[in-house]
Amino acid sequence: MTELENKTQAERAVLVGLSCPSFNAQQDADERTMDELRALAETAGAEAVAMTLQRRPAPDARTFIGEGKAEEVRQLAEANEATLVLFDNELSPSQTRNLEELTKCTVLDRSALILDIFAQRARTGEGKLQVELAQYQYILPRLAGMWTHLVRQTAGGGKSPIGTRGPGETQLETDRRHIRKRIDKLKAELEQVRQVRAVQRRHRKKTELPLVAIVGYTNAGKSTLLNQLTGAGIEANDRLFDTLDPTTRKKRISDTQEILLSDTVGFIRKLPHHLVSAFKATLEELAYADLLLHVVDVSDEDWRIQAETVEGVIAQLGAQEIPRLMVYNKADKCAPEALPFFRPDEGVAISAKTGEGMDALLATIEHALGRGKHRVKLLIPYADGAVLDMLHREAQMESTEYAAEGTLVEAIVDDKTYGRVAAYLVEE
């Protein structure tokens, strides 16, 4: 259980962001990302009581937002009885320590807040391993600030109080070694998870069931879609990162095609790189998918920015070459003229909540997989026994009957095999 969960009442938080001309989109804060930070705070169990967005030419090396602004934040926190300050940007360990001294509040940056949420959401052993690894990777460079009750021995010959010169440094290095060992152990355990998944992928290849992975921005409706299509029964709430552990279900999309449909953790702007790294055991499944369903909340005015964020993470995971189908969810909340224009083979508008557009989606998935199936009846002369052998290897055989003219076969074949047996068609 996390610190935020342990509170009997929601912690009151002041939200702070910094916008600089020198920042890229991943670093910068604006009104939209601040609204997202508010949603993250509420998801973690905090109440946002004040918000301030600072604009300056460059971040301050010591306090990030400048001492004057830090004093303003302290006053905001005091006036609103807040004990928590949440930053939309990423802070260095020293900046976090300095801000805590100036504001007299606990200071967390966006990465730490998302890690806290993930810690709350992890349910399976694999999910907990991945979150723990990400947390240790985040904590390791910040250890020095956690030993403020012990003064480290200065490297330049400066003085420290008697009785504190050795132990502080010793304890710090001991903790670093302990965390590095724990990180190595977690990586080894997650490597075993990857190996298990590799075995599952090989088994899936043998069964020839294509894998369709659902990806998208957090709260776009991925779990609701999986529930609608497969009856998976996953808890799907209107909140960020509601689903953390992946779920895979079989789904028959036509009378001749069955697929594996897999849900994944949602993405978000400024997703901590520790999380992407730690969750590779889960997210690397995307690189082995036959098709990605990119679910977009088309009712959100920022859906294009969110879609770009997801595409960036997909590229980071090396899955940019996987074919994908845009699924414009929550179309029931939009006027028809507000929906994006697209070709039928590029996207489909749906409502995962009401079930609208599901038939069109399944048909588009089958087309996008490029594995059109045909139920055929063939008469294969006995002299062409090699064709019958090929069908046993590559087709789904339904019946075989021997006649005077040859072998009567009923089977389900894909497009490639269909072209090779078309000459033997009795009926389709």
Side-chain angles (χ1 to χ4, degrees):
M1 188 168 286
T2 64
E3 180 182 351
L4 287 174
E5 285 181 302
N6 281 326
K7 303 293 182 182
T8 55
Q9 294 181 336
E11 286 196 65
R12 298 169 66 84
V14 175
L15 310 185
V16 184
L18 177 64
S19 177
C20 291
S22 59
F23 282 168
N24 58 34
Q26 183 74 6
Q27 299 169 316
D28 208 24
D30 56 30
E31 286 77 7
R32 289 176 176 140
T33 63
M34 292 297 289
D35 287 340
E36 199 169 74
L37 182 67
R38 180 191 295 274
L40 286 168
E42 292 171 355
T43 300
E47 178 188 0
V49 294
M51 180 187 297
T52 179
L53 180 61
Q54 167 80 326
R55 291 180 173 85
R56 53 182 292 146
D60 180 70
R62 184 173 181 274
T63 63
F64 194 67
I65 53 175
E67 296 202 17
K69 191 68 174 180
E71 173 59 23
E72 180 185 325
V73 170
R74 186 195 67 77
Q75 293 175 7
L76 266 177
E78 184 177 328
N80 290 278
E81 299 181 342
T83 58
L84 185 63
V85 176
L86 301 176
F87 273 76
D88 192 43
N89 316 80
E90 186 165 344
L91 302 174
S92 70
S94 62
Q95 287 167 342
T96 301
R97 292 195 300 272
N98 293 334
L99 285 164
E100 287 186 337
E101 290 175 4
L102 289 168
T103 63
K104 311 303 180 186
C105 294
T106 300
V107 175
L108 298 178
D109 62 13
R110 187 182 178 101
S111 294
L113 181 60
I114 293 175
L115 284 170
D116 186 279
I117 295 169
F118 270 55
Q120 294 183 36
R121 294 285 183 267
R123 293 291 179 267
T124 65
E126 177 187 343
K128 291 175 181 178
L129 281 176
Q130 292 174 123
V131 170
E132 186 180 355
L133 175 60
Q135 287 178 317
Y136 277 131
Q137 289 173 330
Y138 177 83
I139 288 172
L140 188 59
R142 291 165 170 80
L143 268 183
M146 299 177 184
W147 287 99
T148 52
H149 63 290
L150 295 173
V151 182
R152 298 180 61 192
Q153 186 174 3
T154 56
K159 288 188 175 181
S160 297
I162 295 173
T164 64
R165 280 176 277 197
E169 184 75 26
T170 301
Q171 184 64 63
L172 184 57
E173 291 306 318
T174 298
D175 282 359
R176 280 178 175 155
R177 283 194 297 273
H178 170 75
I179 288 179
R180 288 190 183 108
K181 286 180 181 178
R182 183 61 183 159
I183 286 175
D184 290 341
K185 187 175 186 296
L186 289 168
K187 286 181 176 179
E189 292 180 24
L190 285 172
E191 182 58 36
Q192 292 179 349
V193 172
R194 289 193 181 98
Q195 291 172 6
V196 170
R197 289 187 179 276
V199 172
Q200 292 172 341
R201 281 194 294 270
R202 286 195 294 272
H203 176 70
R204 191 170 66 233
K205 291 293 183 183
K206 288 181 180 179
T207 60
E208 296 187 349
L209 286 181
L211 174 64
V212 178
I214 304 174
V215 301
Y217 209 73
T218 183
N219 208 29
K222 300 180 299 301
S223 296
T224 304
L225 177 59
L226 186 66
N227 286 340
Q228 180 67 243
L229 290 175
T230 69
I234 301 170
E235 186 177 351
N237 299 305
D238 185 16
R239 60 186 184 184
L240 304 185
F241 298 120
D242 195 55
T243 301
L244 183 57
D245 300 306
T247 303
T248 301
R249 294 288 187 272
K250 281 185 181 181
K251 172 65 180 177
R252 182 166 290 281
I253 60 175
S254 71
D255 62 343
T256 59
Q257 179 70 74
E258 192 173 28
I259 63 172
L260 290 174
L261 198 60
S262 181
D263 189 15
T264 60
V265 63
F267 303 139
I268 197 169
R269 276 174 284 191
K270 307 181 185 180
L271 190 67
H273 68 275
H274 309 96
L275 278 176
V276 176
S277 174
F279 274 73
K280 275 191 175 178
T282 298
L283 296 176
E284 71 178 4
E285 282 288 288
L286 301 185
Y288 295 94
D290 297 279
L291 177 69
L292 301 181
L293 295 187
H294 182 169
V295 180
V296 175
D297 177 4
V298 77
S299 68
D300 193 308
E301 63 178 12
D302 291 335
W303 71 264
R304 289 179 178 84
I305 297 173
Q306 294 175 356
E308 289 174 2
T309 298
V310 173
E311 291 295 326
V313 179
I314 289 173
Q316 188 178 348
L317 295 166
Q320 66 270 27
E321 300 301 323
I322 304 297
R324 52 189 153 283
L325 174 65
M326 298 299 295
V327 180
Y328 298 104
N329 190 29
K330 307 186 185 180
D332 55 314
K333 296 183 177 181
C334 301
E337 61 271 15
L339 291 172
F341 292 96
F342 51 83
R343 299 203 315 265
D345 61 335
E346 290 180 337
V348 58
I350 68 161
S351 170
K353 185 176 181 179
T354 67
E356 176 187 343
M358 290 300 111
D359 291 340
L361 174 60
L362 294 178
T364 310
I365 289 173
E366 185 173 28
H367 176 75
L369 285 170
R371 296 184 182 183
K373 298 287 186 177
H374 309 266
R375 180 174 274 108
V376 296
K377 189 173 183 178
L378 309 169
L379 176 60
I380 302 173
Y382 291 117
D384 294 340
V387 175
L388 186 61
D389 291 339
M390 179 269 293
L391 283 171
H392 279 290
R393 290 193 309 272
E394 300 182 10
Q396 182 179 336
M397 302 291 285
E398 294 195 322
S399 69
T400 303
E401 183 181 341
Y402 299 100
E405 301 87 352
T407 306
L408 280 169
V409 173
E410 290 186 7
I412 297 175
V413 299
D414 60 20
D415 289 335
K416 181 180 177 182
T417 305
Y418 181 81
R420 297 166 67 180
V421 300
Y424 303 100
L425 277 174
V426 175
E427 59 182 80
E428 180 179 3

